[in-house]
Amino acid sequence: MPPGPETTADAADGDTVGRPGGPSSRSPRPPGPPARPDDATDAAKTPVLSASADGPDAPEAPDAPDVNPDTGSAAGDTASRPGGPTRLSRLGRLARREARRSALAAVAGLALTASFPPYDLWPLSFVAVAALALLARGRTARQGAWTGFAFALPFFFFLLRWLHVVGYDAVFGLSVIEALFIALLGAGLAVTSRLPGWPLWGACLWVAQEWARDRAPFGGFPWGRLAFANTGSPFTPLAALGGAPLVTFAVALTGGLLACAVVAAWRLRGAAGDRVRAVRAALPAVEAAALAAAVVLAGYAVPVPTKAVDTVDIAIVQGNVQNPGMNFLGRPMMILNNHVDATLALAKDIEAGRVKKPDLVIWPENSSDLDPFQYAEAYDRIEEAVRAVGVPVLVGALVDHPGKPGYVDNQGIVWDPVKGPGASYTKQHPVPFGEYVPFRQQLSKVISRLQRVPRDFYPGDHTGVLQIGPARLGDVICFEVAYDEIVHDTVMAGARALVVQTNNATYGRTGQPEQQLAMSRLRAVEHGRAVVTAATSGISAVVAPDGKVLHRSAEFTRDVITTSIPLRDEITVADRAGAAPEWALAMVGLLSCAAAIMIGRRGRPDEKGQQ
């Protein structure tokens, strides 16, 4: 991305700091003849990216405020000048000055959206990172933050557009919250761009941003991680070494090195007439590009273990729903009857010899739309299906919490054809405003839509490792697949394969099911486990330990997938390392910001104008 013309600090205010014999930056400039037109032209041609690969030669100065000659205060200083410009008006001026750069940032954000499913143009992920690094380079922290926000808002808005079934205000509100984290990232990229090795620090800051966004507010929302755009790319095998954070780091480092190559290539303009100088000037660009290519290809050197200790035959039942969107439930018992009928049809196929009898059957989240322990008709129908197929069935149901009246558990229940319901797993991470309402008493008075969540889900307190027939499987419910620690803890507790029970009927045909399936692909490689996704209306799928999708259903169809999946006991390097790589990379990013701030303060003139 070629840089636009900018004025350096010296050209902007006429200071001659650093020039031998020149006056201090705080000394008044003696009167003289007006500047020649050539001088103004030279200043206007000074680029933002007039910097080496190690750091900028002349960082862009912040816009200087107009000064009142009588009071010596800034024109926009409302504390010294009543009636002066308000903070809002100053922000408006900033927005106007930054319009071109903001537009470029928004385009880069849209490019990042296209790298995610359902588009899957993964190379755009590091191209977008490079664009943000270039746009924030040499800026002040405040300008970098604005650029980061302009980049992130359209990115999240279009990535999370599947929330429009709830309301576009929900899409916009969540996008703004998530964009604030990228705004902080933009500030950090601007500050650290003055340090040697800035692509490395920028990549660490990307990890730090995702670390924070995955945890706050209300337990975090990991959607939009760079790793989730690269679940079928050369970066993917790196997940087996350091999980999703290492994949994000590699993608961000590639983008930073690409930006570094652009910066170095821009400097070649001054060496156009000197061949020797041109060759020397081209070396940093070639080196940065070669390093970026090396990072992209590094994943091919990472072995992804897939050897199975044992196998198990499974059947995934996708019963389908009547109505996509917010009203997918339809009449009570409709969804349960769909899954019962599909299972009874499977039992007939087994009896007729058309299908091999599986060792276990998996139903999706909310496959029983009534609490089977409170409604005898629901219990009886599940019993009918389980006895007909003759093997254990993992049933998804909403169950009244036994110790907390008014609360509900989102459970996966192992239902045996002889013993009936047995072990269960309760979802540990309910979705805020979808499965529980924070500050319900206060917010429900002003947001009537929250009444659609009449009861809060109660979080589970243990992992979802369940013995289902001959297999020890790890149950992960819906959005939990996006959270590193939940999946990691499940594997470390002994899961030999992973099951993702999900209900995507609300967001069918919006791209959300594809985005969630991409997360399952990354988890398969990260933990060396087969991942089975069972969805009420699709997408149900089977993912091999190397991340390849072996079976996949269509959306809004009744389907039964029968297959064999590998069971593995070996754990990956990522499993052993846990969250340590993420914490380490995030801390390096934050420390680089602190170092850049300290170096910047040391370089400022003191009160007497001395360095």
Side-chain angles (χ1 to χ4, degrees):
M1 178 177 295
E6 294 285 348
T7 303
T8 63
D10 291 342
D13 56 21
D15 291 344
T16 55
V17 174
R19 205 184 307 165
S24 163
S25 63
R26 294 183 178 270
S27 303
R29 183 166 53 186
R36 294 181 293 108
D38 293 342
D39 295 338
T41 302
D42 292 340
K45 290 181 179 179
T46 305
V48 172
L49 302 179
S50 59
S52 66
D54 291 332
D57 297 328
E60 182 178 337
D63 297 314
D66 298 330
V67 176
N68 187 324
D70 297 327
T71 64
S73 62
D77 189 354
T78 56
S80 303
R81 183 182 174 187
T86 64
R87 182 182 299 272
L88 186 61
S89 65
R90 290 198 297 273
L91 288 175
R93 288 202 302 270
L94 174 65
R96 288 191 295 273
R97 286 196 302 269
E98 296 292 307
R100 180 184 175 189
R101 191 179 299 264
S102 299
L104 292 174
V107 171
L110 292 175
L112 183 57
T113 302
S115 69
F116 285 81
Y119 311 105
D120 290 317
L121 302 175
W122 62 265
L124 291 179
S125 58
F126 60 80
V127 172
V129 169
L132 179 60
L134 290 171
L135 292 168
R137 181 165 171 75
R139 311 287 283 171
T140 65
R142 182 173 63 179
Q143 292 166 335
W146 177 269
T147 301
F149 187 82
F151 170 91
L153 187 60
F155 162 58
F156 282 114
F157 186 87
F158 286 95
L159 181 73
L160 305 177
R161 198 170 60 87
W162 41 266
L163 267 175
H164 76 272
V165 298
V166 178
Y168 273 102
D169 55 341
V171 181
F172 182 76
L174 182 57
S175 299
V176 169
I177 293 172
E178 298 300 304
L180 293 176
F181 290 91
I182 308 290
L184 293 175
L185 169 66
L189 292 175
V191 170
T192 57
S193 68
R194 295 169 174 83
L195 295 177
W198 53 272
L200 176 62
W201 317 132
C204 292
L205 286 171
W206 270 96
V207 176
Q209 170 267 138
E210 290 187 357
W211 174 90
R213 199 161 54 80
D214 294 353
R215 291 164 173 82
F218 307 117
F221 187 69
W223 237 261
R225 300 171 72 177
L226 293 179
F228 294 154
N230 287 271
T231 60
S233 76
F235 297 104
T236 309
L238 295 172
L241 296 181
L246 184 60
V247 177
T248 287
F249 173 78
V251 174
L253 180 59
T254 302
L257 289 169
L258 184 62
C260 188
V262 173
V263 170
W266 183 259
R267 298 196 59 194
L268 290 173
R269 299 173 308 144
D274 188 335
R275 180 176 299 178
V276 175
R277 187 181 172 193
V279 171
R280 290 178 178 175
L283 286 177
V286 174
E287 291 172 353
L291 283 174
V295 175
V296 173
L297 298 176
Y300 289 118
V302 179
V304 178
T306 59
K307 185 177 180 181
V309 177
D310 199 358
T311 61
V312 64
D313 295 326
I314 67 168
I316 308 169
V317 175
Q318 177 177 302
N320 203 11
V321 300
Q322 272 63 40
N323 303 302
M326 292 296 292
N327 300 315
F328 70 91
L329 283 172
R331 299 192 313 272
M333 294 285 294
M334 288 185 73
I335 293 179
L336 175 57
N337 285 331
N338 287 349
H339 287 83
V340 169
D341 293 343
T343 305
L344 294 175
L346 171 63
K348 290 181 180 179
D349 289 339
I350 294 170
E351 185 177 359
R354 291 188 291 268
V355 176
K356 180 182 177 181
K357 184 176 182 178
D359 297 311
L360 58 97
V361 175
I362 300 171
W363 286 8
E365 177 190 26
N366 300 153
S367 47
S368 177
D369 46 7
L370 291 178
D371 182 351
F373 304 112
Q374 298 295 326
Y375 295 89
E377 55 184 333
Y379 188 102
D380 293 341
R381 289 242 66 191
I382 296 173
E383 278 276 290
E384 178 186 0
V386 175
R387 288 177 178 174
V389 76
V391 297
V393 178
L394 181 62
V395 178
L398 300 183
V399 177
D400 289 346
H401 192 281
K404 291 279 187 179
Y407 287 86
V408 64
D409 291 343
N410 189 353
Q411 288 190 343
I413 306 167
V414 180
W415 210 292
D416 188 85
V418 177
K419 301 177 182 178
S424 65
Y425 165 67
T426 300
K427 186 177 183 180
Q428 301 175 70
H429 200 301
V431 178
F433 302 102
E435 295 176 330
Y436 77 97
V437 179
F439 312 109
R440 176 184 289 274
Q441 185 175 359
Q442 294 81 10
L443 293 178
S444 59
K445 295 178 181 179
V446 294
I447 306 176
S448 60
R449 194 182 308 160
L450 296 178
Q451 296 173 4
R452 293 182 176 181
V453 186
R455 296 191 296 170
D456 290 339
F457 286 29
Y458 199 83
D461 57 4
H462 61 270
T463 62
V465 177
L466 301 169
Q467 188 70 35
I468 310 174
R472 190 170 65 251
L473 306 181
D475 191 14
V476 176
I477 297 180
C478 201
F479 281 20
E480 288 185 325
V481 71
Y483 295 89
D484 294 348
E485 66 279 4
I486 292 178
V487 185
H488 170 266
D489 292 347
T490 302
V491 171
M492 295 303 290
R496 307 181 76 192
L498 294 169
V499 174
V500 181
Q501 291 183 289
T502 187
N503 174 21
N504 291 326
T506 302
Y507 308 114
R509 300 195 182 102
T510 64
Q512 186 269 352
E514 288 90 345
Q515 293 172 11
Q516 190 171 320
L517 178 59
M519 298 174 192
S520 295
R521 296 183 64 187
L522 186 76
R523 298 307 182 196
V525 176
E526 180 178 359
H527 303 290
R529 297 291 187 271
V531 180
V532 176
T533 298
T536 51
S537 60
I539 302 170
S540 299
V542 177
V543 181
D546 61 359
K548 295 179 180 177
V549 179
L550 303 179
H551 302 276
R552 170 176 173 162
S553 70
E555 290 189 76
F556 295 106
T557 59
R558 177 179 293 182
D559 198 1
V560 176
I561 298 174
T562 56
T563 187
S564 177
I565 62 170
L567 302 178
R568 303 188 70 253
D569 295 320
E570 181 184 354
I571 60 175
T572 63
V573 175
D575 289 323
R576 294 186 178 94
E582 182 180 31
W583 281 86
L585 292 170
M587 288 302 298
V588 169
L590 296 177
L591 289 174
S592 68
C593 278
I597 293 171
M598 291 178 63
I599 293 171
R601 287 178 176 175
R602 288 177 182 176
R604 291 177 184 174
D606 59 23
E607 292 183 359
K608 295 181 181 179
Q610 301 297 323
Q611 288 283 349

